[in-house]
Amino acid sequence: MSMATQVSRRSFLIGSASAIGGLSLGFHVPFAEGAAPAKTAAEVNAWVVIQPDDQVVIRIARSEMGQGTLTGLAQLVAEELECDWSKVTTEYPTPGQNLARDRVWGNFSTGGSRGIRESHEYVRKGGATARQMLISAAAAEWKVPASECVAANSVITHKPSNRKVTFGKVATAAAKVTPPKDVTLKDPKDWKIAGKPLPRLDTADKLTGKQIYGTDLKLPGMLNATVRACPYFGGKVKSFDASAVSKMPGVRKVAQIDDTTIAIIADTWWQAKTAMDALPIVWDQGPNTGVSSESIAEMLKGGLDAKDAFVQTTVGDAPAALAGAKKTISAVYAYPYQNHATMEPMNATALYTPQKCEVWVPTQNGEASLAAAAEAAGLPVQQCEVYKLHLGGGFGRRGNFQDYVHQSVLIAKQMPGTPIKMIWTREEDMLHGAYHPTTQCKFTASLDDQNNVTAMHMRISGQSILAAVRPEGMQGGKDPAVFQGLNLTGDEGHIGYTIPNLLVDHAMRNPPVPPGFWRGVNLNQNAFYLESFIEELAHAAGQDPLVFRRKLLKNHPKHLATLEAVAKGIGWDTPAPKGVGRGLAQIMGFGSYVAAAAEVSVTNGQMKIHRIVAATDAGHVVNPAQVERQVEGSFVYGLSAALFGECTMQGGRMVEDNFHTYQVMRMAEMPKVETHIVPSGGFWGGVGEPTIAVAAPAVINALFAATGKRIRTLPLKKHSLA
């Protein structure tokens, strides 16, 4: 029995929810066995479609949101397929097709820097299997052993006779070949397409405007909509006067679609937005109007010295060692709420009938969007479909959180048979986020007579993402994701410093603000906390920060190698220019080792970041040019957060509602970034997120070197540097 016939809507919704997220768990992905028969003769297998003219279409299940996953995964498939890269294009399979074909494409979730590192093996097998099927088809036509044939550049050659045939001429026959049960993948040292800095496949369409994003989509007979939801956390709609706007130009319908949200449907989006601005609404502000950033900070402060906490990382007996120490150093840090602030606000287009619901949406997880659509439509999953579009930014907002898809279907149900495109305003997008949580952190460490670190206690106080978003990921009440980058072992993120007595724990404090996976997740604040304090310890010990770290990292060569690379790149062993300070930071997260070194100066109270040197060890590199761009983009994101990013709460709602109050880096503010890629092989790490984490501490440590001022709370805009 296929999954399509036995799955219920409820079980699919639950399964999709548990499979998504910035730190979602991987699972075995079945290959082509058991998949539905090919719908077209050109489909060699689920991953590869070859046209008679030798054009190759590679199907990519993960979402493209500017990070380059689409090109990287295509390179991996093409490498094993041995096709002509100049003839490669891509397409998204739909989550409905995936469900109907026993999830042959596996996980659609794109987050946690897992797009390539979680799926590289089975997509490579997809290309290798298709290659073997093509070779088998050609060998059968020639009546020769397949072992005498090889494929290269979309051409199959029979070596003894030198007969040749192109992929396109045998694709139909290859589609009928039984897939081999096992294939051997290439050694990365033999790659010809993967591992090369090839141009991205989507660049030309973006430059020419051909690329369609969610806000660009046009369907026949389409109407437009916008929404306004209660801005108070825990609040809802009390009343509104639809008659005040129902006769405004273009307005088709004014409706409350759930307890918190009102929608207006109109001929154009601007007409819907104009009417919404004029709509009289009274909000029931709910139970949290007394909550503010100040009250939340006090709540978190109370957790710093609380007796009860969830312990994650422990070596020796840190409390006892600290109690008996002659010299201790303490510091308290804080990290604010952050908004995803994607350039493209949340949007989706839905077409609903009592028999079928279709949604066109930029989503980080097509299966989660399908689940949300089915839930909102009240239809079996098999009667719903989602068509993925490229994203104008995701950063985690479009993964777990499918509220915008749910809303779009509820709106479409107001006018069955009519496609309706819903777009949030920027203000709606900013006020209804799933925010990077706020935390505080208290360190206490001890030094012996030789200024070696003998003990350290790191207490994190703050919000749990998993408790709110994915409670099934909790472990006995503990949120393991809080400790990202601070574990003793593990491929996801482990600490590189060897400290004889170490304790890392978490006092959970959950304010009424919805938290979410924000690009880089908990690695961001953990690196800021840890690398800032390690720097403080180095200065307390009277030692050079690089020398001090080297001693602590001696048992972790991969951590140390990236740090050494940036130190060399920044010229650490040579004097900095007059008035310029240098700072270091390193961390391991999302399966990769990263480090950064920064140079900054301060003139008349204004800081200038002159340059940043970065190093990344992701094990294997699929596209080095794309890695460089992701590292550079990570600094844009990380520095925006460090310098400006902060969401503040007053009266039970967020204050910042657009870019005039939630500032991001401008081009003139961006420093030069020099990227060193130092892959050591043997593992597959992520690239899109880990480097974000070292941006803040590298700059803050450089700022201390330049001015002697130690910044322990972000964003930097709150501090005077004069």
Side-chain angles (χ1 to χ4, degrees), residues 221-265:
M222 185 179 75
L223 297 177
N224 296 269
T226 195
V227 298
R228 185 153 298 170
C230 183
Y232 300 92
F233 298 117
K236 58 186 178 181
V237 176
K238 185 174 183 179
S239 65
F240 65 99
D241 183 6
S243 65
V245 300
S246 59
K247 294 184 179 180
M248 289 182 67
V251 172
R252 297 294 189 97
K253 194 159 191 176
V254 183
Q256 182 175 341
I257 58 172
D258 58 30
D259 288 345
T260 67
T261 310
I262 300 164
I264 295 182
I265 304 169

mmCIF file of all heavy atoms in Angstrom, residues 221-265:
data_model
loop_
_atom_site.group_PDB
_atom_site.id
_atom_site.type_symbol
_atom_site.label_atom_id
_atom_site.label_comp_id
_atom_site.label_asym_id
_atom_site.label_seq_id
_atom_site.Cartn_x
_atom_site.Cartn_y
_atom_site.Cartn_z
ATOM 1 N N GLY A 221 -7.739 35.636 -13.483
ATOM 2 C CA GLY A 221 -8.853 35.921 -12.589
ATOM 3 C C GLY A 221 -8.460 36.158 -11.149
ATOM 4 O O GLY A 221 -9.324 36.167 -10.249
ATOM 5 N N MET A 222 -7.174 36.376 -10.896
ATOM 6 C CA MET A 222 -6.679 36.488 -9.525
ATOM 7 C C MET A 222 -7.093 37.797 -8.870
ATOM 8 O O MET A 222 -7.079 38.868 -9.488
ATOM 9 C CB MET A 222 -5.150 36.386 -9.529
ATOM 10 C CG MET A 222 -4.495 36.378 -8.161
ATOM 11 S SD MET A 222 -2.689 36.217 -8.284
ATOM 12 C CE MET A 222 -2.281 37.895 -8.814
ATOM 13 N N LEU A 223 -7.474 37.709 -7.597
ATOM 14 C CA LEU A 223 -7.691 38.871 -6.753
ATOM 15 C C LEU A 223 -6.552 38.961 -5.748
ATOM 16 O O LEU A 223 -5.704 38.066 -5.666
ATOM 17 C CB LEU A 223 -9.036 38.774 -6.034
ATOM 18 C CG LEU A 223 -10.277 38.762 -6.939
ATOM 19 C CD1 LEU A 223 -11.544 38.594 -6.107
ATOM 20 C CD2 LEU A 223 -10.358 40.032 -7.782
ATOM 21 N N ASN A 224 -6.533 40.039 -4.988
ATOM 22 C CA ASN A 224 -5.441 40.294 -4.052
ATOM 23 C C ASN A 224 -5.976 40.545 -2.655
ATOM 24 O O ASN A 224 -7.112 41.015 -2.490
ATOM 25 C CB ASN A 224 -4.628 41.501 -4.518
ATOM 26 C CG ASN A 224 -3.936 41.255 -5.849
ATOM 27 O OD1 ASN A 224 -2.806 40.798 -5.891
ATOM 28 N ND2 ASN A 224 -4.631 41.556 -6.948
ATOM 29 N N ALA A 225 -5.149 40.249 -1.675
ATOM 30 C CA ALA A 225 -5.594 40.418 -0.295
ATOM 31 C C ALA A 225 -4.435 40.807 0.599
ATOM 32 O O ALA A 225 -3.270 40.543 0.302
ATOM 33 C CB ALA A 225 -6.225 39.123 0.222
ATOM 34 N N THR A 226 -4.799 41.440 1.700
ATOM 35 C CA THR A 226 -3.852 41.650 2.782
ATOM 36 C C THR A 226 -4.565 41.384 4.086
ATOM 37 O O THR A 226 -5.800 41.255 4.119
ATOM 38 C CB THR A 226 -3.234 43.058 2.760
ATOM 39 O OG1 THR A 226 -2.083 43.087 3.608
ATOM 40 C CG2 THR A 226 -4.231 44.119 3.203
ATOM 41 N N VAL A 227 -3.788 41.279 5.159
ATOM 42 C CA VAL A 227 -4.364 40.932 6.456
ATOM 43 C C VAL A 227 -3.885 41.906 7.516
ATOM 44 O O VAL A 227 -2.873 42.599 7.349
ATOM 45 C CB VAL A 227 -3.980 39.496 6.886
ATOM 46 C CG1 VAL A 227 -4.504 38.465 5.907
ATOM 47 C CG2 VAL A 227 -2.477 39.351 7.058
ATOM 48 N N ARG A 228 -4.619 41.943 8.592
ATOM 49 C CA ARG A 228 -4.153 42.610 9.802
ATOM 50 C C ARG A 228 -4.520 41.730 10.975
ATOM 51 O O ARG A 228 -5.686 41.391 11.165
ATOM 52 C CB ARG A 228 -4.750 44.004 9.958
ATOM 53 C CG ARG A 228 -4.181 44.761 11.158
ATOM 54 C CD ARG A 228 -4.233 46.263 10.951
ATOM 55 N NE ARG A 228 -3.418 46.668 9.803
ATOM 56 C CZ ARG A 228 -3.438 47.903 9.282
ATOM 57 N NH1 ARG A 228 -4.245 48.823 9.780
ATOM 58 N NH2 ARG A 228 -2.672 48.197 8.243
ATOM 59 N N ALA A 229 -3.508 41.341 11.731
ATOM 60 C CA ALA A 229 -3.708 40.497 12.906
ATOM 61 C C ALA A 229 -3.425 41.306 14.164
ATOM 62 O O ALA A 229 -2.688 42.307 14.130
ATOM 63 C CB ALA A 229 -2.804 39.271 12.852
ATOM 64 N N CYS A 230 -3.989 40.877 15.259
ATOM 65 C CA CYS A 230 -3.801 41.583 16.522
ATOM 66 C C CYS A 230 -2.312 41.674 16.846
ATOM 67 O O CYS A 230 -1.626 40.659 16.924
ATOM 68 C CB CYS A 230 -4.540 40.865 17.644
ATOM 69 S SG CYS A 230 -4.429 41.731 19.225
ATOM 70 N N PRO A 231 -1.789 42.878 17.041
ATOM 71 C CA PRO A 231 -0.346 43.022 17.289
ATOM 72 C C PRO A 231 0.076 42.681 18.706
ATOM 73 O O PRO A 231 1.275 42.632 18.996
ATOM 74 C CB PRO A 231 -0.105 44.503 16.988
ATOM 75 C CG PRO A 231 -1.400 45.167 17.317
ATOM 76 C CD PRO A 231 -2.474 44.175 16.942
ATOM 77 N N TYR A 232 -0.894 42.455 19.594
ATOM 78 C CA TYR A 232 -0.582 42.137 20.988
ATOM 79 C C TYR A 232 -0.460 40.625 21.153
ATOM 80 O O TYR A 232 -1.367 39.881 20.759
ATOM 81 C CB TYR A 232 -1.667 42.687 21.914
ATOM 82 C CG TYR A 232 -1.818 44.184 21.832
ATOM 83 C CD1 TYR A 232 -2.729 44.766 20.942
ATOM 84 C CD2 TYR A 232 -1.049 45.027 22.619
ATOM 85 C CE1 TYR A 232 -2.863 46.135 20.846
ATOM 86 C CE2 TYR A 232 -1.180 46.410 22.532
ATOM 87 C CZ TYR A 232 -2.084 46.962 21.641
ATOM 88 O OH TYR A 232 -2.209 48.324 21.544
ATOM 89 N N PHE A 233 0.636 40.183 21.737
ATOM 90 C CA PHE A 233 0.839 38.751 21.923
ATOM 91 C C PHE A 233 -0.217 38.214 22.882
ATOM 92 O O PHE A 233 -0.335 38.667 24.023
ATOM 93 C CB PHE A 233 2.240 38.468 22.449
ATOM 94 C CG PHE A 233 3.332 38.906 21.512
ATOM 95 C CD1 PHE A 233 4.241 39.884 21.879
ATOM 96 C CD2 PHE A 233 3.438 38.345 20.246
ATOM 97 C CE1 PHE A 233 5.238 40.296 21.010
ATOM 98 C CE2 PHE A 233 4.433 38.745 19.368
ATOM 99 C CZ PHE A 233 5.330 39.725 19.743
ATOM 100 N N GLY A 234 -0.997 37.245 22.374
ATOM 101 C CA GLY A 234 -2.081 36.694 23.168
ATOM 102 C C GLY A 234 -3.395 37.420 23.003
ATOM 103 O O GLY A 234 -4.404 37.023 23.595
ATOM 104 N N GLY A 235 -3.416 38.480 22.177
ATOM 105 C CA GLY A 235 -4.645 39.239 21.953
ATOM 106 C C GLY A 235 -5.450 38.688 20.792
ATOM 107 O O GLY A 235 -5.055 37.730 20.127
ATOM 108 N N LYS A 236 -6.584 39.320 20.524
ATOM 109 C CA LYS A 236 -7.450 38.888 19.432
ATOM 110 C C LYS A 236 -8.330 40.039 18.968
ATOM 111 O O LYS A 236 -8.291 41.141 19.536
ATOM 112 C CB LYS A 236 -8.307 37.698 19.870
ATOM 113 C CG LYS A 236 -9.184 37.966 21.088
ATOM 114 C CD LYS A 236 -9.894 36.699 21.535
ATOM 115 C CE LYS A 236 -10.742 36.949 22.786
ATOM 116 N NZ LYS A 236 -11.428 35.699 23.241
ATOM 117 N N VAL A 237 -9.130 39.797 17.942
ATOM 118 C CA VAL A 237 -10.052 40.810 17.428
ATOM 119 C C VAL A 237 -11.223 40.954 18.395
ATOM 120 O O VAL A 237 -11.841 39.964 18.796
ATOM 121 C CB VAL A 237 -10.577 40.414 16.030
ATOM 122 C CG1 VAL A 237 -11.610 41.439 15.548
ATOM 123 C CG2 VAL A 237 -9.426 40.297 15.037
ATOM 124 N N LYS A 238 -11.527 42.201 18.751
ATOM 125 C CA LYS A 238 -12.708 42.463 19.571
ATOM 126 C C LYS A 238 -13.882 42.878 18.690
ATOM 127 O O LYS A 238 -14.989 42.349 18.806
ATOM 128 C CB LYS A 238 -12.413 43.542 20.612
ATOM 129 C CG LYS A 238 -13.550 43.788 21.598
ATOM 130 C CD LYS A 238 -13.111 44.763 22.686
ATOM 131 C CE LYS A 238 -14.211 44.973 23.720
ATOM 132 N NZ LYS A 238 -13.767 45.923 24.792
ATOM 133 N N SER A 239 -13.625 43.820 17.791
ATOM 134 C CA SER A 239 -14.673 44.247 16.864
ATOM 135 C C SER A 239 -14.047 45.017 15.714
ATOM 136 O O SER A 239 -12.909 45.492 15.807
ATOM 137 C CB SER A 239 -15.711 45.124 17.573
ATOM 138 O OG SER A 239 -15.113 46.340 18.015
ATOM 139 N N PHE A 240 -14.797 45.122 14.604
ATOM 140 C CA PHE A 240 -14.381 45.957 13.475
ATOM 141 C C PHE A 240 -15.621 46.338 12.693
ATOM 142 O O PHE A 240 -16.659 45.682 12.780
ATOM 143 C CB PHE A 240 -13.362 45.234 12.589
ATOM 144 C CG PHE A 240 -13.902 44.017 11.889
ATOM 145 C CD1 PHE A 240 -14.309 44.071 10.557
ATOM 146 C CD2 PHE A 240 -14.006 42.803 12.557
ATOM 147 C CE1 PHE A 240 -14.801 42.949 9.917
ATOM 148 C CE2 PHE A 240 -14.498 41.675 11.924
ATOM 149 C CZ PHE A 240 -14.899 41.738 10.599
ATOM 150 N N ASP A 241 -15.511 47.424 11.918
ATOM 151 C CA ASP A 241 -16.660 47.949 11.171
ATOM 152 C C ASP A 241 -16.395 47.794 9.679
ATOM 153 O O ASP A 241 -15.818 48.670 9.034
ATOM 154 C CB ASP A 241 -16.891 49.411 11.531
ATOM 155 C CG ASP A 241 -18.130 50.001 10.846
ATOM 156 O OD1 ASP A 241 -18.864 49.231 10.182
ATOM 157 O OD2 ASP A 241 -18.335 51.218 10.972
ATOM 158 N N ALA A 242 -16.818 46.656 9.117
ATOM 159 C CA ALA A 242 -16.582 46.388 7.698
ATOM 160 C C ALA A 242 -17.291 47.392 6.807
ATOM 161 O O ALA A 242 -16.809 47.715 5.707
ATOM 162 C CB ALA A 242 -17.034 44.970 7.361
ATOM 163 N N SER A 243 -18.434 47.918 7.254
ATOM 164 C CA SER A 243 -19.214 48.845 6.413
ATOM 165 C C SER A 243 -18.451 50.124 6.114
ATOM 166 O O SER A 243 -18.726 50.801 5.122
ATOM 167 C CB SER A 243 -20.544 49.176 7.099
ATOM 168 O OG SER A 243 -20.320 49.891 8.316
ATOM 169 N N ALA A 244 -17.483 50.450 6.948
ATOM 170 C CA ALA A 244 -16.727 51.688 6.747
ATOM 171 C C ALA A 244 -15.826 51.627 5.516
ATOM 172 O O ALA A 244 -15.425 52.679 5.002
ATOM 173 C CB ALA A 244 -15.896 51.988 7.989
ATOM 174 N N VAL A 245 -15.502 50.424 5.034
ATOM 175 C CA VAL A 245 -14.573 50.307 3.907
ATOM 176 C C VAL A 245 -15.104 49.437 2.779
ATOM 177 O O VAL A 245 -14.474 49.359 1.725
ATOM 178 C CB VAL A 245 -13.210 49.749 4.381
ATOM 179 C CG1 VAL A 245 -12.583 50.653 5.428
ATOM 180 C CG2 VAL A 245 -13.360 48.328 4.922
ATOM 181 N N SER A 246 -16.231 48.783 2.971
ATOM 182 C CA SER A 246 -16.694 47.797 1.991
ATOM 183 C C SER A 246 -17.020 48.398 0.634
ATOM 184 O O SER A 246 -17.039 47.681 -0.371
ATOM 185 C CB SER A 246 -17.911 47.044 2.542
ATOM 186 O OG SER A 246 -18.954 47.954 2.843
ATOM 187 N N LYS A 247 -17.282 49.700 0.579
ATOM 188 C CA LYS A 247 -17.590 50.341 -0.700
ATOM 189 C C LYS A 247 -16.412 51.122 -1.269
ATOM 190 O O LYS A 247 -16.566 51.840 -2.264
ATOM 191 C CB LYS A 247 -18.802 51.254 -0.535
ATOM 192 C CG LYS A 247 -20.090 50.482 -0.213
ATOM 193 C CD LYS A 247 -21.294 51.409 -0.141
ATOM 194 C CE LYS A 247 -22.565 50.611 0.165
ATOM 195 N NZ LYS A 247 -23.775 51.492 0.256
ATOM 196 N N MET A 248 -15.264 50.976 -0.675
ATOM 197 C CA MET A 248 -14.072 51.636 -1.218
ATOM 198 C C MET A 248 -13.690 50.986 -2.547
ATOM 199 O O MET A 248 -14.053 49.833 -2.816
ATOM 200 C CB MET A 248 -12.916 51.540 -0.211
ATOM 201 C CG MET A 248 -13.116 52.414 1.028
ATOM 202 S SD MET A 248 -11.722 52.336 2.197
ATOM 203 C CE MET A 248 -10.417 53.119 1.229
ATOM 204 N N PRO A 249 -12.966 51.713 -3.404
ATOM 205 C CA PRO A 249 -12.638 51.204 -4.742
ATOM 206 C C PRO A 249 -11.966 49.838 -4.710
ATOM 207 O O PRO A 249 -10.996 49.624 -3.982
ATOM 208 C CB PRO A 249 -11.676 52.268 -5.289
ATOM 209 C CG PRO A 249 -12.064 53.516 -4.584
ATOM 210 C CD PRO A 249 -12.464 53.092 -3.199
ATOM 211 N N GLY A 250 -12.510 48.903 -5.479
ATOM 212 C CA GLY A 250 -11.911 47.597 -5.664
ATOM 213 C C GLY A 250 -12.181 46.583 -4.577
ATOM 214 O O GLY A 250 -11.877 45.401 -4.751
ATOM 215 N N VAL A 251 -12.741 46.995 -3.458
ATOM 216 C CA VAL A 251 -12.927 46.072 -2.341
ATOM 217 C C VAL A 251 -13.990 45.032 -2.688
ATOM 218 O O VAL A 251 -15.108 45.379 -3.082
ATOM 219 C CB VAL A 251 -13.295 46.821 -1.049
ATOM 220 C CG1 VAL A 251 -13.670 45.828 0.058
ATOM 221 C CG2 VAL A 251 -12.132 47.700 -0.597
ATOM 222 N N ARG A 252 -13.643 43.770 -2.529
ATOM 223 C CA ARG A 252 -14.571 42.672 -2.806
ATOM 224 C C ARG A 252 -15.150 42.063 -1.529
ATOM 225 O O ARG A 252 -16.306 41.673 -1.503
ATOM 226 C CB ARG A 252 -13.860 41.570 -3.588
ATOM 227 C CG ARG A 252 -13.349 41.974 -4.954
ATOM 228 C CD ARG A 252 -14.476 42.309 -5.926
ATOM 229 N NE ARG A 252 -13.994 42.493 -7.282
ATOM 230 C CZ ARG A 252 -14.023 41.554 -8.224
ATOM 231 N NH1 ARG A 252 -14.518 40.354 -7.949
ATOM 232 N NH2 ARG A 252 -13.552 41.791 -9.430
ATOM 233 N N LYS A 253 -14.306 41.985 -0.475
ATOM 234 C CA LYS A 253 -14.807 41.351 0.734
ATOM 235 C C LYS A 253 -13.949 41.757 1.922
ATOM 236 O O LYS A 253 -12.725 41.888 1.809
ATOM 237 C CB LYS A 253 -14.798 39.822 0.598
ATOM 238 C CG LYS A 253 -15.612 39.114 1.672
ATOM 239 C CD LYS A 253 -15.999 37.714 1.222
ATOM 240 C CE LYS A 253 -17.024 37.109 2.171
ATOM 241 N NZ LYS A 253 -17.499 35.797 1.708
ATOM 242 N N VAL A 254 -14.581 41.942 3.065
ATOM 243 C CA VAL A 254 -13.922 42.180 4.344
ATOM 244 C C VAL A 254 -14.371 41.069 5.272
ATOM 245 O O VAL A 254 -15.578 40.868 5.469
ATOM 246 C CB VAL A 254 -14.289 43.550 4.937
ATOM 247 C CG1 VAL A 254 -13.528 43.789 6.242
ATOM 248 C CG2 VAL A 254 -14.021 44.670 3.939
ATOM 249 N N ALA A 255 -13.437 40.327 5.849
ATOM 250 C CA ALA A 255 -13.831 39.169 6.643
ATOM 251 C C ALA A 255 -12.842 38.915 7.758
ATOM 252 O O ALA A 255 -11.627 39.132 7.598
ATOM 253 C CB ALA A 255 -13.926 37.926 5.762
ATOM 254 N N GLN A 256 -13.358 38.444 8.882
ATOM 255 C CA GLN A 256 -12.502 37.950 9.957
ATOM 256 C C GLN A 256 -12.272 36.470 9.694
ATOM 257 O O GLN A 256 -13.216 35.689 9.613
ATOM 258 C CB GLN A 256 -13.159 38.148 11.323
ATOM 259 C CG GLN A 256 -12.286 37.684 12.481
ATOM 260 C CD GLN A 256 -12.888 37.990 13.845
ATOM 261 O OE1 GLN A 256 -13.780 38.838 13.962
ATOM 262 N NE2 GLN A 256 -12.399 37.315 14.877
ATOM 263 N N ILE A 257 -11.001 36.086 9.546
ATOM 264 C CA ILE A 257 -10.720 34.706 9.147
ATOM 265 C C ILE A 257 -10.359 33.802 10.324
ATOM 266 O O ILE A 257 -10.377 32.583 10.189
ATOM 267 C CB ILE A 257 -9.608 34.650 8.078
ATOM 268 C CG1 ILE A 257 -8.329 35.305 8.565
ATOM 269 C CG2 ILE A 257 -10.088 35.312 6.786
ATOM 270 C CD1 ILE A 257 -7.142 35.125 7.631
ATOM 271 N N ASP A 258 -10.009 34.394 11.457
ATOM 272 C CA ASP A 258 -9.827 33.613 12.686
ATOM 273 C C ASP A 258 -9.929 34.567 13.869
ATOM 274 O O ASP A 258 -10.272 35.744 13.698
ATOM 275 C CB ASP A 258 -8.499 32.830 12.691
ATOM 276 C CG ASP A 258 -7.279 33.719 12.530
ATOM 277 O OD1 ASP A 258 -7.312 34.888 12.966
ATOM 278 O OD2 ASP A 258 -6.273 33.251 11.972
ATOM 279 N N ASP A 259 -9.616 34.098 15.056
ATOM 280 C CA ASP A 259 -9.807 34.922 16.251
ATOM 281 C C ASP A 259 -8.953 36.174 16.262
ATOM 282 O O ASP A 259 -9.310 37.168 16.898
ATOM 283 C CB ASP A 259 -9.486 34.103 17.510
ATOM 284 C CG ASP A 259 -10.535 33.053 17.809
ATOM 285 O OD1 ASP A 259 -11.641 33.136 17.227
ATOM 286 O OD2 ASP A 259 -10.245 32.148 18.611
ATOM 287 N N THR A 260 -7.831 36.139 15.555
ATOM 288 C CA THR A 260 -6.872 37.243 15.649
ATOM 289 C C THR A 260 -6.768 38.094 14.388
ATOM 290 O O THR A 260 -6.145 39.150 14.433
ATOM 291 C CB THR A 260 -5.462 36.698 15.957
ATOM 292 O OG1 THR A 260 -4.988 35.946 14.834
ATOM 293 C CG2 THR A 260 -5.474 35.817 17.195
ATOM 294 N N THR A 261 -7.366 37.656 13.272
ATOM 295 C CA THR A 261 -6.988 38.218 11.978
ATOM 296 C C THR A 261 -8.185 38.620 11.124
ATOM 297 O O THR A 261 -9.161 37.869 11.008
ATOM 298 C CB THR A 261 -6.139 37.205 11.185
ATOM 299 O OG1 THR A 261 -5.092 36.718 12.021
ATOM 300 C CG2 THR A 261 -5.536 37.841 9.944
ATOM 301 N N ILE A 262 -8.048 39.789 10.486
ATOM 302 C CA ILE A 262 -9.026 40.289 9.522
ATOM 303 C C ILE A 262 -8.347 40.365 8.158
ATOM 304 O O ILE A 262 -7.171 40.737 8.059
ATOM 305 C CB ILE A 262 -9.529 41.687 9.925
ATOM 306 C CG1 ILE A 262 -10.189 41.640 11.309
ATOM 307 C CG2 ILE A 262 -10.511 42.238 8.894
ATOM 308 C CD1 ILE A 262 -10.358 42.992 11.940
ATOM 309 N N ALA A 263 -9.078 39.990 7.108
ATOM 310 C CA ALA A 263 -8.558 40.053 5.745
ATOM 311 C C ALA A 263 -9.450 40.933 4.890
ATOM 312 O O ALA A 263 -10.666 40.990 5.095
ATOM 313 C CB ALA A 263 -8.474 38.652 5.144
ATOM 314 N N ILE A 264 -8.836 41.612 3.935
ATOM 315 C CA ILE A 264 -9.586 42.359 2.926
ATOM 316 C C ILE A 264 -9.138 41.883 1.556
ATOM 317 O O ILE A 264 -7.941 41.843 1.252
ATOM 318 C CB ILE A 264 -9.374 43.878 3.059
ATOM 319 C CG1 ILE A 264 -9.958 44.382 4.392
ATOM 320 C CG2 ILE A 264 -10.011 44.610 1.889
ATOM 321 C CD1 ILE A 264 -9.841 45.879 4.589
ATOM 322 N N ILE A 265 -10.108 41.495 0.737
ATOM 323 C CA ILE A 265 -9.870 41.044 -0.634
ATOM 324 C C ILE A 265 -10.295 42.164 -1.573
ATOM 325 O O ILE A 265 -11.376 42.739 -1.412
ATOM 326 C CB ILE A 265 -10.678 39.773 -0.938
ATOM 327 C CG1 ILE A 265 -10.344 38.667 0.072
ATOM 328 C CG2 ILE A 265 -10.404 39.289 -2.369
ATOM 329 C CD1 ILE A 265 -11.281 37.476 0.001
#
